[in-house]
Amino acid sequence: MDTQTTLSTKQSTANSLRERADSSFECIRDEMQLVEQLLREQMQSEYEDLSPLLAHGALLGGKRLRPALVLLAGKAAGELTGDHVVLGTVMEMIHTATLIHDDVLDSADQRRHLPTVNAKWNDQTSILLGDYLFAQAFTLSATLGSTQACQWIGDAARRVCEGELRQIFTSGCSQLSEVDYIDIIRGKTAELCRISCRLGGTHGGADLPTQTALADFGENLGIAFQIADDFLDVWGSTERVGKTLGTDLLQGKPTLPLIHLLQSDPSMQTQLDELQSMSDAARCQAIVTRLEQSDAKAYTLATAQRFAADAVAAIDFLPESAAKKSLQQLALFSVSRNF
Amino acid sequence: MDTQTTLSTKQSTANSLRERADSSFECIRDEMQLVEQLLREQMQSEYEDLSPLLAHGALLGGKRLRPALVLLAGKAAGELTGDHVVLGTVMEMIHTATLIHDDVLDSADQRRHLPTVNAKWNDQTSILLGDYLFAQAFTLSATLGSTQACQWIGDAARRVCEGELRQIFTSGCSQLSEVDYIDIIRGKTAELCRISCRLGGTHGGADLPTQTALADFGENLGIAFQIADDFLDVWGSTERVGKTLGTDLLQGKPTLPLIHLLQSDPSMQTQLDELQSMSDAARCQAIVTRLEQSDAKAYTLATAQRFAADAVAAIDFLPESAAKKSLQQLALFSVSRNF
């Protein structure tokens, strides 16, 4: 497949995709604004020195996918309340904390067209700001008066870390199976989406089968979303994605394109080992060339689409509503986006 | 003052000090064992790869000061329950998470005679293990069925991060006043001690004045403890303390000995600036020499002792009990220890 053509097609449809994402949020527009407002309130400090840092942190999340999931799941299942705004803000803060720490782990300079905290300040500040956000998010979640929500949120955050640790421990491991990879991203990325949907449903008055269906929806969407992220790390445009690309490949992080390539050609590991002496840019290009010569691109996209379809199917039994339609659109959008 | 004499005096009394710490825990011996057991349970993973990492993390806290504070405060105020064991474990996990992240921030190799996580694994693993412990601790705290405890614990963890961020933002700042320094360590170190004592009291059935007194006790003890830590970073023995010393001085971290030196001699900043070109070891020795020539050592110790005395006084009105006596002993021990 021709990367240039794909990128140029993507560029031409970028606006309509962004609009599609925006239109998914139409039925929760007011509540999304309340989340934004609460987020800004939470990212203030009584210490003047820390204010620019916290304000910068509030900008890094960007897509606001997790608050949207909380609100849409709540609306698809029943009525939205003030709890949903709090929960959406909590999920976004935890997500932002993980991004800030990820940027230290990846030594990334840019995220969503903004300098990362580690680039603008330093690694130490990033580690502490991430910790600060985690703690603040847990404090905020406890204001809801439900220890069950606190437990779910704490456990979801733990699973995210567990997934990321497993990813590090399998880094450079050419034997990682696709099953183990999916299990890792189920923790690393899908867990926060899963719990966002489940909490949204629960606080919207959903019965147990609906809660479970919404949780399944969120998990499948999260997996699809991460596979699309892996795809964009290889075939995305730095300008559109707004962060340093190719870092997964260079760090030997096992992502689906590479796992599939290694499994489909037994000689590939030796070929990749021989690239070690190259410069980063040359090595990245050489890996991409090998991926392009295989069916890794089509396979990665098809796998992401399969999980997106599973997400859509999981909530198909819910009564028709604008919120349900938006959730299903979001699942499809998560794999068709180019940013 | 002669460092050699001080160290040798300390060595000769080390055993009796350790015994004093142990004897402080005598009336909560069984409950401390339950904390240890719960901590080990919490530091297990269903993923075999992660088990050695988590098991190593459980060993790094060492002194178990915070669980002891929870239990002793509970016992001084009323009756101990299963809640106290859970709360003690939660506080120790949060403390350990901050230590693991601190070791990354300080690039430290050793803690309590053990390799740090960053030395044994790497910085990435340390960041994620710290996050894992934070999340697991919050999850565990939510099992108590009290969102107030969750809020207090979350907010305490946030204040710790805030204190550490303020410390970084004032690093190398020769203008930091002693008042601001005390305010920073009130967050960074004393907050977890404060909330440990408050939670212990609350869950032991303490009335509001007793809760407040226990919180004051914990805060003053925590400040005394941190000043003693600053003291040991300059005048401790690596062998006894079990971690890399002199790092505060080299990193330009404002600690009380240095703040006092800078404030008592207006020419000192210029003298210290002139040391920048030296090797780390030579620079560290040159700073220590200047500290020794001033009254910084005696002043630092006296300040720590003043906060320890305030801690003792805060709970003096409580009825006599073994737990109250142990708390007061701990406050005095926090500044007389050499490890």
Side-chain angles (χ1 to χ4, degrees):
Chain A
M1 288 178 79
D2 176 23
T3 314
Q4 271 322 102
T5 316
T6 316
L7 283 180
S8 120
T9 313
K10 284 191 164 186
Q11 277 158 12
S12 68
T13 56
N15 287 340
S16 66
L17 285 172
R18 280 183 195 274
E19 280 157 19
R20 200 189 308 171
D22 286 346
S23 76
S24 294
F25 299 170
E26 184 55 43
C27 66
I28 49 165
R29 185 183 293 267
D30 293 348
E31 292 84 356
M32 285 295 280
Q33 279 176 359
L34 293 175
V35 167
E36 211 58 40
Q37 197 177 314
L38 183 54
L39 190 62
R40 274 198 298 269
E41 280 171 30
Q42 292 287 316
M43 303 292 272
Q44 281 170 354
S45 171
E46 61 183 296
Y47 300 104
E48 210 177 308
D49 285 0
L50 305 187
S51 295
L53 173 68
L54 288 165
H56 189 79
L59 301 174
L60 292 172
K63 295 189 194 73
R64 309 294 190 227
L65 173 64
R66 288 144 200 87
L69 291 175
V70 171
L71 296 170
L72 290 171
K75 202 147 189 166
E79 290 296 317
L80 289 187
T81 68
D83 283 8
H84 289 96
V85 173
V86 172
L87 287 166
T89 308
V90 166
M91 299 315 293
E92 187 64 16
M93 287 167 77
I94 292 177
H95 171 60
T96 305
T98 67
L99 293 184
I100 290 169
H101 283 181
D102 279 353
D103 287 339
V104 180
L105 306 182
D106 295 343
S107 308
D109 296 329
Q110 211 192 12
R111 171 171 300 273
R112 298 200 61 75
H113 308 284
L114 290 169
T116 56
V117 176
N118 40 309
K120 200 172 158 86
W121 285 272
N122 51 51
D123 283 359
Q124 300 186 323
T125 303
S126 298
I127 295 174
L128 290 169
L129 179 62
D131 292 350
Y132 182 101
L133 286 178
F134 269 130
Q136 177 90 334
F138 286 116
T139 311
L140 182 60
S141 72
T143 62
L144 290 177
S146 154
T147 49
Q148 185 179 62
C150 295
Q151 258 187 284
W152 285 359
I153 291 166
D155 197 53
R158 185 191 63 80
R159 283 172 195 267
V160 171
C161 301
E162 190 175 66
E164 296 220 44
L165 280 169
R166 290 179 68 207
Q167 185 175 56
I168 287 185
F169 279 58
T170 55
S171 201
C173 159
S174 58
Q175 305 300 317
L176 189 76
S177 70
E178 190 177 317
V179 171
D180 282 340
Y181 160 79
I182 297 291
D183 198 42
I184 286 172
I185 66 173
R186 196 187 305 280
K188 183 186 113 161
T189 310
E191 181 62 18
L192 284 190
C193 297
R194 188 181 78 81
I195 213 69
S196 293
C197 290
R198 177 154 200 196
L199 281 166
T202 309
H203 285 256
D207 58 17
L208 199 58
T210 304
Q211 283 182 40
T212 308
L214 286 165
D216 282 352
F217 166 85
E219 183 171 279
N220 282 298
L221 172 140
I223 293 172
F225 195 90
Q226 181 58 52
I227 297 175
D229 245 23
D230 288 2
F231 180 94
L232 289 171
D233 189 67
V234 183
W235 290 289
S237 127
T238 300
E239 197 193 326
R240 300 218 153 260
V241 179
K243 65 175 180 182
T244 317
L245 298 179
T247 50
D248 294 347
L249 290 183
L250 290 173
Q251 290 174 5
K253 206 183 268 184
T255 64
L256 190 54
L258 206 59
I259 290 168
H260 182 69
L261 179 67
L262 286 166
Q263 288 188 340
S264 55
D265 181 349
S267 77
M268 192 50 70
Q269 187 59 56
T270 317
Q271 287 186 46
L272 294 183
D273 288 346
E274 284 163 2
L275 307 176
Q276 288 299 333
S277 59
M278 286 182 170
S279 73
D280 277 2
R283 190 153 62 91
C284 192
Q285 189 50 56
I287 302 171
V288 171
T289 302
R290 278 162 182 75
L291 289 168
E292 295 275 343
Q293 286 163 347
S294 77
D295 69 337
K297 190 172 185 173
Y299 182 82
T300 302
L301 208 55
T303 309
Q305 284 163 346
R306 183 161 53 79
F307 280 102
D310 285 351
V312 169
I315 56 166
D316 220 30
F317 76 99
L318 290 181
E320 294 309 318
S321 68
K324 172 190 163 184
K325 195 176 160 198
S326 292
L327 283 172
Q328 292 182 321
Q329 272 178 345
L330 262 186
L332 298 174
F333 167 72
S334 72
V335 292
S336 64
R337 70 200 163 100
N338 64 357
F339 62 95
Chain B
M1 286 178 80
D2 176 24
T3 313
Q4 271 321 102
T5 316
T6 316
L7 283 179
S8 121
T9 313
K10 284 190 164 188
Q11 278 160 8
S12 69
T13 55
N15 287 339
S16 66
L17 285 172
R18 279 182 197 274
E19 280 157 19
R20 201 190 308 172
D22 286 347
S23 76
S24 294
F25 298 171
E26 184 56 43
C27 67
I28 49 165
R29 184 184 294 267
D30 293 348
E31 292 85 356
M32 285 295 279
Q33 277 177 0
L34 292 175
V35 167
E36 211 58 39
Q37 197 177 315
L38 182 55
L39 189 63
R40 274 199 298 269
E41 279 170 32
Q42 291 287 315
M43 303 293 272
Q44 281 169 354
S45 171
E46 59 183 298
Y47 300 104
E48 209 178 307
D49 285 0
L50 305 186
S51 295
L53 174 67
L54 287 166
H56 189 79
L59 301 174
L60 292 172
K63 296 190 196 73
R64 307 296 189 226
L65 173 64
R66 287 142 200 89
L69 291 175
V70 171
L71 296 170
L72 289 172
K75 201 146 189 166
E79 289 296 316
L80 289 187
T81 68
D83 282 8
H84 289 95
V85 173
V86 171
L87 287 166
T89 309
V90 166
M91 299 315 293
E92 186 65 15
M93 287 167 77
I94 292 177
H95 170 60
T96 306
T98 67
L99 294 184
I100 291 170
H101 282 182
D102 279 353
D103 286 339
V104 181
L105 305 181
D106 296 343
S107 307
D109 296 329
Q110 210 192 13
R111 172 172 297 275
R112 298 200 60 76
H113 307 285
L114 290 170
T116 56
V117 176
N118 40 310
K120 199 171 158 88
W121 284 272
N122 50 52
D123 283 359
Q124 301 185 323
T125 303
S126 298
I127 295 173
L128 290 169
L129 179 62
D131 293 351
Y132 182 102
L133 287 179
F134 268 130
Q136 176 91 335
F138 286 117
T139 311
L140 183 60
S141 72
T143 61
L144 290 177
S146 154
T147 49
Q148 184 178 64
C150 294
Q151 259 187 281
W152 285 357
I153 291 167
D155 197 54
R158 185 190 64 77
R159 282 172 195 266
V160 171
C161 301
E162 190 174 66
E164 294 220 43
L165 279 169
R166 291 180 67 206
Q167 185 175 58
I168 288 185
F169 278 58
T170 54
S171 202
C173 160
S174 59
Q175 304 301 317
L176 189 77
S177 70
E178 189 176 318
V179 170
D180 282 340
Y181 160 80
I182 297 291
D183 199 41
I184 286 174
I185 66 173
R186 197 187 304 280
K188 182 185 113 161
T189 310
E191 181 61 19
L192 284 190
C193 296
R194 188 181 76 83
I195 213 67
S196 293
C197 290
R198 177 153 200 195
L199 282 166
T202 309
H203 285 255
D207 57 18
L208 199 59
T210 305
Q211 282 182 41
T212 306
L214 285 166
D216 283 352
F217 166 84
E219 182 171 279
N220 282 300
L221 172 140
I223 293 172
F225 195 90
Q226 182 58 52
I227 297 175
D229 246 23
D230 288 1
F231 180 94
L232 289 172
D233 189 66
V234 183
W235 289 289
S237 127
T238 300
E239 197 193 327
R240 299 217 153 261
V241 179
K243 66 176 180 182
T244 317
L245 297 178
T247 50
D248 294 347
L249 291 183
L250 290 173
Q251 288 173 9
K253 205 183 270 185
T255 63
L256 190 54
L258 206 57
I259 289 169
H260 182 70
L261 179 67
L262 286 165
Q263 288 188 339
S264 55
D265 181 349
S267 77
M268 193 50 69
Q269 187 60 55
T270 317
Q271 288 187 44
L272 295 183
D273 289 346
E274 284 163 4
L275 307 176
Q276 288 300 333
S277 58
M278 286 183 172
S279 73
D280 278 2
R283 191 153 62 91
C284 192
Q285 189 49 56
I287 302 172
V288 171
T289 302
R290 278 161 184 77
L291 289 168
E292 297 273 344
Q293 287 162 348
S294 77
D295 69 337
K297 189 171 184 173
Y299 182 81
T300 301
L301 208 57
T303 309
Q305 283 163 345
R306 182 161 53 81
F307 281 101
D310 286 350
V312 169
I315 56 167
D316 219 31
F317 76 98
L318 290 181
E320 294 309 318
S321 69
K324 171 189 162 183
K325 192 174 162 198
S326 293
L327 283 172
Q328 292 182 323
Q329 272 179 345
L330 261 186
L332 298 174
F333 167 72
S334 72
V335 292
S336 63
R337 72 201 162 101
N338 64 356
F339 62 95

